Coordinates of all heavy atoms in Angstrom, one line a residue:
M4 N -10.1 2.7 0.8 CA -9.0 3.0 -0.1 C -8.8 1.7 -0.9 O -8.4 1.8 -2.1 CB -7.9 3.5 0.8 CG -6.5 3.1 0.7 SD -5.5 4.0 1.9 CE -5.1 2.8 3.1
F5 N -8.9 0.6 -0.2 CA -8.6 -0.7 -1.0 C -9.6 -0.9 -2.0 O -9.3 -1.3 -3.2 CB -8.5 -1.9 0.0 CG -7.3 -1.9 0.8 CD1 -7.3 -2.7 1.9 CD2 -6.0 -1.3 0.4 CE1 -6.2 -2.7 2.7 CE2 -4.9 -1.4 1.2 CZ -4.9 -2.0 2.3
E6 N -10.9 -0.8 -1.7 CA -11.9 -0.9 -2.6 C -11.9 0.1 -3.8 O -12.2 -0.3 -4.9 CB -13.2 -0.8 -1.9 CG -13.6 -1.9 -1.0 CD -14.9 -1.7 -0.2 OE1 -15.5 -0.7 -0.5 OE2 -15.1 -2.7 0.7
Q7 N -11.3 1.3 -3.6 CA -11.1 2.1 -4.6 C -10.1 1.7 -5.7 O -10.1 2.0 -6.8 CB -10.9 3.6 -4.1 CG -12.1 4.3 -3.7 CD -11.7 5.6 -3.1 OE1 -10.6 5.9 -2.9 NE2 -12.8 6.2 -2.8
G8 N -9.1 0.9 -5.2 CA -8.1 0.2 -6.0 C -8.5 -0.9 -6.8 O -7.8 -1.5 -7.4
G9 N -9.8 -1.3 -6.6 CA -10.3 -2.5 -7.4 C -10.3 -3.8 -6.7 O -10.7 -4.7 -7.3
Y10 N -9.9 -3.7 -5.4 CA -9.8 -4.9 -4.6 C -11.2 -5.3 -4.0 O -12.0 -4.4 -3.7 CB -8.8 -4.9 -3.4 CG -7.4 -4.5 -4.0 CD1 -6.9 -3.3 -3.9 CD2 -6.7 -5.5 -4.5 CE1 -5.8 -3.0 -4.4 CE2 -5.5 -5.2 -5.0 CZ -4.9 -4.0 -4.9 OH -3.7 -3.6 -5.5
E11 N -11.6 -6.7 -3.9 CA -12.8 -7.1 -3.2 C -12.4 -7.7 -2.0 O -11.5 -8.2 -1.7 CB -13.5 -8.0 -4.2 CG -14.0 -7.4 -5.4 CD -14.7 -8.3 -6.4 OE1 -14.8 -9.6 -6.1 OE2 -15.2 -7.9 -7.4
N12 N -13.5 -7.7 -1.0 CA -13.4 -8.4 0.3 C -12.1 -8.0 1.0 O -11.5 -8.8 1.8 CB -13.3 -9.9 0.2 CG -14.4 -10.4 -0.7 OD1 -15.6 -10.0 -0.5 ND2 -14.2 -11.3 -1.7
A13 N -11.7 -6.7 1.0 CA -10.5 -6.2 1.6 C -10.6 -6.1 2.9 O -11.7 -5.6 3.6 CB -10.1 -4.9 1.0
V14 N -9.5 -6.5 3.8 CA -9.5 -6.4 5.2 C -8.2 -5.7 5.7 O -7.1 -6.2 5.2 CB -9.6 -7.7 5.9 CG1 -9.5 -7.7 7.3 CG2 -10.9 -8.4 5.6
V15 N -8.2 -4.6 6.3 CA -7.1 -3.9 6.8 C -6.5 -4.6 8.1 O -7.0 -4.8 9.1 CB -7.3 -2.4 7.0 CG1 -6.1 -1.7 7.5 CG2 -7.7 -1.9 5.8
D16 N -5.1 -4.9 8.0 CA -4.5 -5.5 9.1 C -3.8 -4.4 10.1 O -3.7 -4.7 11.2 CB -3.4 -6.6 8.8 CG -4.1 -7.8 8.1 OD1 -5.2 -8.0 8.4 OD2 -3.5 -8.4 7.2
N17 N -3.1 -3.5 9.3 CA -2.4 -2.5 10.1 C -2.2 -1.2 9.3 O -2.1 -1.2 8.0 CB -0.9 -3.1 10.1 CG 0.0 -2.3 11.0 OD1 -0.3 -1.4 11.8 ND2 1.2 -2.8 11.1
V18 N -2.3 -0.1 10.0 CA -2.3 1.3 9.5 C -1.2 1.9 10.3 O -1.3 2.0 11.5 CB -3.6 1.9 9.4 CG1 -3.4 3.4 8.9 CG2 -4.8 1.2 8.6
G19 N -0.4 2.7 9.6 CA 0.6 3.6 10.2 C 0.8 4.9 9.7 O 0.6 5.0 8.4
T20 N 1.2 5.9 10.3 CA 1.4 7.2 9.9 C 2.9 7.4 10.2 O 3.4 7.3 11.3 CB 0.6 8.3 10.5 OG1 -0.8 7.9 10.2 CG2 0.8 9.6 10.0
V21 N 3.7 7.9 9.3 CA 5.1 8.3 9.5 C 5.3 9.8 8.8 O 5.0 10.2 7.8 CB 5.9 7.4 8.7 CG1 7.4 7.9 8.8 CG2 5.8 6.0 9.2
D22 N 6.0 10.6 9.8 CA 6.4 11.9 9.3 C 7.8 11.8 8.6 O 8.7 11.2 9.2 CB 6.6 12.9 10.5 CG 5.2 13.2 11.3 OD1 4.2 13.3 10.4 OD2 5.2 13.4 12.4
Q23 N 7.8 12.1 7.5 CA 9.1 11.9 6.6 C 10.1 13.0 6.8 O 9.6 14.2 7.2 CB 8.6 11.9 5.2 CG 7.8 10.6 4.7 CD 8.5 9.3 4.9 OE1 9.6 9.2 4.7 NE2 7.6 8.3 5.1
P24 N 11.4 12.8 6.6 CA 12.3 13.8 6.8 C 12.2 15.0 6.0 O 12.6 16.2 6.4 CB 13.7 13.0 6.3 CG 13.4 11.6 6.5 CD 11.9 11.5 6.2
D25 N 11.5 15.0 4.8 CA 11.3 16.1 4.0 C 10.1 17.0 4.3 O 9.7 17.8 3.6 CB 11.3 15.7 2.6 CG 10.2 14.8 2.2 OD1 9.3 14.4 3.1 OD2 9.9 14.3 1.0
G26 N 9.4 16.5 5.4 CA 8.2 17.2 5.9 C 7.0 16.6 5.5 O 5.9 17.2 5.8
A27 N 7.0 15.7 4.5 CA 5.8 15.1 4.2 C 5.3 14.1 5.2 O 6.0 13.8 6.1 CB 6.0 14.4 2.8
T28 N 4.1 13.7 5.0 CA 3.5 12.6 5.9 C 3.0 11.5 5.0 O 2.3 11.7 3.9 CB 2.3 13.3 6.6 OG1 2.6 14.4 7.4 CG2 1.6 12.2 7.6
T29 N 3.3 10.3 5.4 CA 2.7 9.1 4.8 C 1.8 8.4 5.6 O 1.9 8.2 6.8 CB 4.0 8.2 4.3 OG1 4.7 7.8 5.4 CG2 4.9 8.9 3.3
V30 N 0.8 7.9 5.2 CA -0.2 6.9 5.8 C -0.1 5.6 4.8 O -0.3 5.6 3.7 CB -1.5 7.5 5.6 CG1 -2.5 6.6 6.4 CG2 -1.6 8.9 6.4
T31 N 0.1 4.6 5.5 CA 0.3 3.3 5.0 C -0.6 2.3 5.6 O -0.6 2.2 6.9 CB 1.9 2.7 5.0 OG1 2.7 3.8 4.5 CG2 2.0 1.4 4.3
A32 N -1.2 1.4 4.7 CA -2.1 0.4 5.2 C -1.7 -0.9 4.7 O -1.6 -1.0 3.4 CB -3.6 0.7 4.7
F33 N -1.7 -1.9 5.4 CA -1.4 -3.3 5.1 C -2.6 -4.1 5.2 O -3.3 -3.9 6.3 CB -0.3 -4.0 6.0 CG 1.1 -3.5 5.7 CD1 1.6 -2.5 6.2 CD2 1.9 -4.3 4.7 CE1 2.9 -1.9 6.0 CE2 3.2 -3.8 4.5 CZ 3.7 -2.7 5.1
G34 N -3.0 -4.9 4.3 CA -4.2 -5.7 4.4 C -4.1 -6.9 3.3 O -3.1 -7.2 2.8
N35 N -5.3 -7.5 3.1 CA -5.4 -8.6 2.2 C -6.9 -8.4 1.6 O -7.7 -7.9 2.2 CB -5.2 -9.9 2.8 CG -6.0 -10.3 4.0 OD1 -7.2 -10.4 3.7 ND2 -5.4 -10.5 5.1
G36 N -7.1 -9.1 0.6 CA -8.4 -9.2 -0.3 C -8.2 -9.9 -1.4 O -7.4 -10.8 -1.4
S37 N -9.1 -9.7 -2.4 CA -9.0 -10.4 -3.7 C -9.1 -9.4 -4.8 O -9.6 -8.4 -4.7 CB -10.1 -11.5 -3.7 OG -11.4 -10.9 -3.6
M38 N -8.4 -9.9 -5.9 CA -8.4 -9.0 -7.2 C -9.1 -9.8 -8.2 O -8.7 -10.9 -8.5 CB -7.0 -8.7 -7.5 CG -6.8 -8.0 -8.9 SD -7.8 -6.3 -9.0 CE -6.6 -5.2 -8.0
P39 N -10.2 -9.3 -8.8 CA -10.9 -10.0 -9.9 C -10.0 -10.3 -11.1 O -9.2 -9.4 -11.4 CB -12.0 -9.1 -10.3 CG -12.2 -8.1 -9.1 CD -10.8 -8.0 -8.5
Q40 N -10.0 -11.4 -11.6 CA -9.2 -12.0 -12.7 C -10.3 -12.4 -13.8 O -11.3 -12.8 -13.4 CB -8.2 -12.9 -12.3 CG -7.3 -12.7 -11.2 CD -6.3 -11.6 -11.6 OE1 -5.6 -11.7 -12.7 NE2 -6.2 -10.5 -10.9
D41 N -9.8 -12.7 -15.0 CA -10.7 -13.3 -16.0 C -11.2 -14.7 -15.7 O -12.3 -15.0 -15.9 CB -9.9 -13.4 -17.4 CG -9.7 -12.1 -18.0 OD1 -10.5 -11.1 -17.6 OD2 -8.9 -11.8 -18.8
D42 N -10.3 -15.5 -14.8 CA -10.7 -16.8 -14.5 C -11.0 -17.0 -13.0 O -10.8 -18.0 -12.5 CB -9.6 -17.8 -14.8 CG -8.1 -17.3 -14.1 OD1 -8.1 -16.3 -13.5 OD2 -7.2 -18.1 -14.3
G43 N -11.5 -15.8 -12.3 CA -11.8 -16.0 -11.0 C -11.1 -15.0 -10.1 O -10.2 -14.3 -10.6
N44 N -11.3 -14.9 -8.8 CA -10.6 -14.0 -7.9 C -9.1 -14.6 -7.5 O -9.1 -15.7 -7.2 CB -11.4 -13.7 -6.7 CG -12.6 -12.7 -7.1 OD1 -12.6 -12.0 -8.1 ND2 -13.4 -12.6 -6.1
M45 N -8.2 -13.7 -7.3 CA -6.9 -14.0 -6.9 C -6.8 -13.4 -5.5 O -6.9 -12.1 -5.4 CB -5.8 -13.5 -7.8 CG -4.4 -13.8 -7.2 SD -3.0 -13.4 -8.5 CE -3.2 -11.6 -8.5
D46 N -6.5 -14.2 -4.4 CA -6.3 -13.7 -3.1 C -4.9 -13.1 -3.0 O -3.8 -13.7 -3.5 CB -6.5 -14.8 -2.0 CG -7.8 -15.3 -2.0 OD1 -8.9 -14.5 -2.2 OD2 -8.1 -16.4 -1.6
V47 N -4.8 -11.9 -2.4 CA -3.5 -11.2 -2.5 C -3.4 -10.4 -1.2 O -4.3 -10.1 -0.5 CB -3.5 -10.1 -3.6 CG1 -3.4 -10.8 -5.0 CG2 -4.7 -9.2 -3.6
N48 N -2.1 -10.2 -0.8 CA -1.6 -9.1 0.2 C -1.7 -7.8 -0.6 O -1.4 -7.7 -1.7 CB -0.3 -9.4 0.7 CG -0.3 -10.7 1.7 OD1 -1.1 -10.7 2.6 ND2 0.5 -11.6 1.4
I49 N -2.2 -6.8 0.2 CA -2.2 -5.4 -0.4 C -1.4 -4.5 0.5 O -1.6 -4.5 1.8 CB -3.7 -5.0 -0.6 CG1 -4.5 -6.1 -1.3 CG2 -3.8 -3.7 -1.2 CD1 -6.0 -5.9 -1.1
V50 N -0.7 -3.5 0.0 CA -0.1 -2.4 0.7 C -0.5 -1.2 -0.1 O -0.1 -1.1 -1.3 CB 1.4 -2.7 0.9 CG1 1.9 -1.4 1.7 CG2 1.7 -3.9 1.5
M51 N -1.1 -0.1 0.5 CA -1.2 1.2 -0.1 C -0.7 2.3 0.8 O -0.8 2.2 2.0 CB -2.8 1.4 -0.2 CG -3.3 0.4 -1.4 SD -5.0 0.9 -1.6 CE -4.8 2.1 -3.0
Q52 N 0.1 3.0 0.1 CA 0.6 4.2 0.9 C 0.3 5.5 0.2 O 0.4 5.8 -1.1 CB 2.2 4.2 0.9 CG 2.9 5.4 1.6 CD 4.3 5.5 1.4 OE1 4.8 5.4 0.3 NE2 5.0 5.6 2.6
Y53 N -0.3 6.5 1.0 CA -0.6 7.8 0.6 C 0.6 8.7 1.1 O 0.8 8.7 2.3 CB -1.8 8.3 1.1 CG -3.2 7.8 0.5 CD1 -3.5 6.3 0.5 CD2 -3.9 8.5 -0.4 CE1 -4.6 5.9 -0.2 CE2 -5.1 8.0 -1.1 CZ -5.3 6.7 -0.9 OH -6.4 6.2 -1.6
Y54 N 1.2 9.4 0.1 CA 2.4 10.2 0.5 C 1.9 11.8 0.2 O 1.7 12.2 -0.8 CB 3.5 10.0 -0.5 CG 4.7 10.7 -0.1 CD1 5.8 10.1 0.5 CD2 4.9 12.0 -0.8 CE1 6.9 10.7 0.9 CE2 6.2 12.6 -0.5 CZ 7.2 12.0 0.2 OH 8.3 12.7 0.4
F55 N 1.6 12.4 1.4 CA 1.1 13.8 1.4 C 2.3 14.7 1.4 O 3.1 14.8 2.3 CB 0.2 14.0 2.5 CG -1.1 13.2 2.5 CD1 -1.1 12.0 3.2 CD2 -2.1 13.5 1.8 CE1 -2.2 11.2 3.3 CE2 -3.3 12.7 1.8 CZ -3.4 11.5 2.6
I56 N 2.5 15.5 0.3 CA 3.5 16.6 0.1 C 3.4 17.6 1.2 O 2.3 18.0 1.6 CB 3.6 17.1 -1.2 CG1 3.7 16.0 -2.4 CG2 4.7 18.2 -1.4 CD1 3.6 16.4 -3.7
A57 N 4.5 18.0 1.7 CA 4.7 18.9 2.9 C 3.9 20.2 2.7 O 3.2 20.8 3.6 CB 6.1 19.2 3.2
D58 N 4.0 20.7 1.5 CA 3.4 22.1 1.2 C 2.0 21.9 0.9 O 1.3 22.9 0.5 CB 4.2 22.9 0.2 CG 4.1 22.3 -1.2 OD1 3.4 21.1 -1.5 OD2 4.9 22.6 -2.2
G59 N 1.3 20.8 1.0 CA -0.1 20.5 0.6 C -0.4 20.5 -0.9 O -1.5 20.7 -1.3
S60 N 0.6 20.5 -1.8 CA 0.4 20.6 -3.2 C -0.1 19.3 -3.9 O -0.4 19.4 -5.0 CB 1.6 21.2 -3.9 OG 2.7 20.2 -3.7
G61 N -0.2 18.4 -3.2 CA -0.7 17.0 -3.8 C -0.3 15.8 -2.9 O 0.1 15.9 -1.8
V62 N -0.7 14.7 -3.6 CA -0.6 13.4 -2.9 C -0.1 12.4 -4.0 O -0.6 12.5 -5.1 CB -1.9 13.0 -2.2 CG1 -2.9 12.8 -3.2 CG2 -1.5 11.7 -1.3
Y63 N 0.9 11.5 -3.6 CA 1.1 10.3 -4.4 C 0.6 9.1 -3.8 O 0.7 9.0 -2.5 CB 2.7 10.3 -4.5 CG 3.3 11.4 -5.3 CD1 3.9 12.5 -4.8 CD2 3.5 11.2 -6.8 CE1 4.3 13.5 -5.5 CE2 4.0 12.2 -7.5 CZ 4.4 13.4 -6.9 OH 4.9 14.4 -7.7
I64 N 0.2 8.1 -4.6 CA -0.3 6.9 -4.0 C 0.7 5.7 -4.6 O 1.0 5.6 -5.8 CB -1.6 6.6 -4.4 CG1 -2.5 7.7 -4.0 CG2 -2.2 5.3 -3.9 CD1 -4.0 7.7 -4.4
V65 N 1.1 4.9 -3.6 CA 1.9 3.7 -4.0 C 1.2 2.6 -3.6 O 0.7 2.5 -2.5 CB 3.3 3.7 -3.2 CG1 4.3 2.6 -3.6 CG2 4.1 5.1 -3.5
N66 N 1.1 1.5 -4.6 CA 0.2 0.5 -4.3 C 1.1 -0.8 -4.6 O 1.6 -0.9 -5.7 CB -0.9 0.5 -5.2 CG -2.0 -0.6 -5.1 OD1 -1.9 -1.4 -4.2 ND2 -2.8 -0.8 -6.0
Y67 N 1.1 -1.7 -3.7 CA 1.8 -3.0 -3.9 C 0.7 -4.2 -3.8 O -0.1 -4.1 -2.9 CB 2.9 -3.3 -2.9 CG 4.0 -2.3 -3.0 CD1 4.0 -1.1 -2.2 CD2 5.2 -2.6 -3.6 CE1 5.2 -0.3 -2.3 CE2 6.2 -1.8 -3.7 CZ 6.2 -0.6 -3.1 OH 7.3 0.2 -3.1
M68 N 0.9 -5.2 -4.6 CA 0.0 -6.4 -4.5 C 0.9 -7.6 -4.7 O 1.8 -7.5 -5.6 CB -1.1 -6.3 -5.6 CG -2.0 -7.5 -5.6 SD -3.2 -7.3 -7.0 CE -2.2 -7.7 -8.4
Y69 N 0.8 -8.6 -3.9 CA 1.6 -9.7 -4.2 C 0.8 -10.9 -3.5 O -0.1 -10.8 -2.7 CB 3.0 -9.7 -3.5 CG 3.1 -9.2 -2.0 CD1 3.1 -10.1 -1.0 CD2 2.8 -7.8 -1.8 CE1 3.0 -9.7 0.2 CE2 2.8 -7.4 -0.5 CZ 2.9 -8.4 0.6 OH 2.9 -7.9 1.8
P70 N 1.2 -12.2 -3.8 CA 0.3 -13.4 -3.4 C 0.2 -13.5 -2.0 O 1.1 -13.2 -1.1 CB 1.3 -14.6 -4.0 CG 2.0 -14.0 -5.1 CD 2.4 -12.6 -4.8
L71 N -1.0 -14.0 -1.7 CA -1.3 -14.1 -0.2 C -0.4 -14.9 0.7 O -0.1 -14.6 1.8 CB -2.8 -14.6 -0.1 CG -3.4 -14.6 1.3 CD1 -3.6 -13.1 1.7 CD2 -4.7 -15.3 1.3
E72 N 0.2 -15.9 0.0 CA 1.0 -16.8 0.8 C 2.5 -16.2 1.0 O 3.3 -16.8 1.8 CB 1.2 -18.2 0.2 CG 1.8 -18.2 -1.1 CD 0.7 -17.9 -2.3 OE1 -0.3 -17.8 -2.1 OE2 1.2 -18.0 -3.5
D73 N 2.8 -15.1 0.5 CA 4.1 -14.5 0.4 C 4.2 -13.5 1.5 O 4.5 -12.3 1.2 CB 4.5 -13.9 -1.0 CG 5.8 -13.3 -0.9 OD1 6.7 -13.5 0.0 OD2 6.2 -12.7 -2.0
T74 N 4.1 -13.7 2.8 CA 4.1 -12.8 3.8 C 5.6 -12.3 4.2 O 5.5 -11.2 4.8 CB 3.7 -13.5 5.3 OG1 4.4 -14.6 5.5 CG2 2.1 -13.8 5.0
A75 N 6.6 -12.9 3.7 CA 7.9 -12.4 3.8 C 8.1 -11.0 3.2 O 8.9 -10.2 3.6 CB 9.0 -13.2 3.6
T76 N 7.3 -10.8 2.2 CA 7.5 -9.5 1.4 C 7.0 -8.3 2.2 O 7.4 -7.2 2.0 CB 6.6 -9.7 0.1 OG1 7.2 -10.7 -0.7 CG2 6.8 -8.4 -0.8
D77 N 6.2 -8.5 3.1 CA 5.7 -7.3 4.0 C 6.9 -6.6 4.6 O 6.9 -5.3 4.5 CB 4.9 -7.9 5.3 CG 3.5 -8.3 4.9 OD1 3.1 -8.2 3.7 OD2 2.8 -8.8 5.8
D78 N 7.9 -7.2 5.3 CA 9.0 -6.5 5.8 C 9.9 -5.8 4.7 O 10.3 -4.6 5.0 CB 9.9 -7.5 6.5 CG 9.3 -8.0 7.7 OD1 8.3 -7.4 8.3 OD2 9.7 -9.3 8.1
V79 N 10.0 -6.4 3.5 CA 10.7 -5.7 2.4 C 10.0 -4.4 2.1 O 10.6 -3.4 1.8 CB 10.9 -6.6 1.2 CG1 11.5 -5.9 0.1 CG2 11.7 -7.8 1.6
I80 N 8.6 -4.4 1.8 CA 7.9 -3.4 1.4 C 8.0 -2.3 2.5 O 8.1 -1.1 2.3 CB 6.5 -3.8 1.1 CG1 6.5 -4.6 -0.2 CG2 5.5 -2.6 0.9 CD1 5.2 -5.2 -0.7
A81 N 7.8 -2.6 3.7 CA 7.8 -1.7 4.9 C 9.2 -0.9 4.8 O 9.1 0.2 5.0 CB 7.7 -2.5 6.2
D82 N 10.3 -1.5 4.6 CA 11.6 -0.9 4.5 C 11.6 0.0 3.2 O 12.2 1.1 3.4 CB 12.7 -2.0 4.3 CG 13.0 -2.7 5.6 OD1 12.6 -2.3 6.7 OD2 13.6 -3.8 5.5
I83 N 11.0 -0.3 2.2 CA 11.0 0.5 1.0 C 10.1 1.7 1.3 O 10.6 3.0 1.0 CB 10.5 -0.2 -0.2 CG1 11.4 -1.3 -0.7 CG2 10.1 0.7 -1.4 CD1 10.8 -2.2 -1.7
L84 N 9.0 1.6 1.8 CA 8.1 2.7 2.1 C 8.6 3.7 3.1 O 8.3 4.9 3.0 CB 6.7 2.1 2.5 CG 5.9 1.3 1.6 CD1 4.6 0.9 2.2 CD2 5.6 2.2 0.3
A85 N 9.5 3.3 4.0 CA 10.0 4.2 4.9 C 11.0 5.1 4.3 O 11.3 6.1 4.8 CB 10.7 3.4 6.0
T86 N 11.4 4.7 3.1 CA 12.6 5.7 2.5 C 11.9 6.4 1.3 O 12.8 7.0 0.6 CB 13.7 4.7 2.1 OG1 13.4 3.8 1.1 CG2 14.3 3.9 3.3
V87 N 10.7 6.2 0.9 CA 10.2 7.0 -0.2 C 10.2 8.5 0.1 O 9.9 9.1 0.9 CB 8.8 6.5 -0.5 CG1 8.1 7.3 -1.6 CG2 8.8 5.0 -1.0
T88 N 10.8 9.1 -1.0 CA 10.8 10.8 -1.0 C 10.5 11.2 -2.3 O 10.5 10.4 -3.4 CB 12.1 11.2 -0.7 OG1 13.1 10.8 -1.6 CG2 12.5 10.7 0.8
V89 N 9.9 12.5 -2.5 CA 9.6 12.9 -3.7 C 10.7 14.0 -4.1 O 10.9 14.8 -3.3 CB 8.1 13.6 -3.7 CG1 7.9 14.3 -5.0 CG2 7.2 12.5 -3.4
E90 N 11.2 14.0 -5.3 CA 12.2 14.9 -5.7 C 11.7 15.8 -6.8 O 10.9 15.5 -7.6 CB 13.5 14.2 -6.1 CG 13.9 13.3 -5.0 CD 15.5 13.0 -5.1 OE1 16.1 13.6 -5.9 OE2 15.9 12.1 -4.4

């Protein structure tokens, strides 16, 4: 999933599945890797969430990328992802 997002050397640290209050299911993966830039690769933390709609009609993908040294952002993103709903 990370490689399809364009990341290189991706390593998954943690994967979780959550049943959402609206009946949807989310699968979230935290990891790190590198993103190719014009002047070389940038090492980044990566978070990807697949949000599977309850009736099976589709999927939404939420993708976060932020500097590797900014680990405090993990908790903020985890809180955000836990509250994502589709209206």
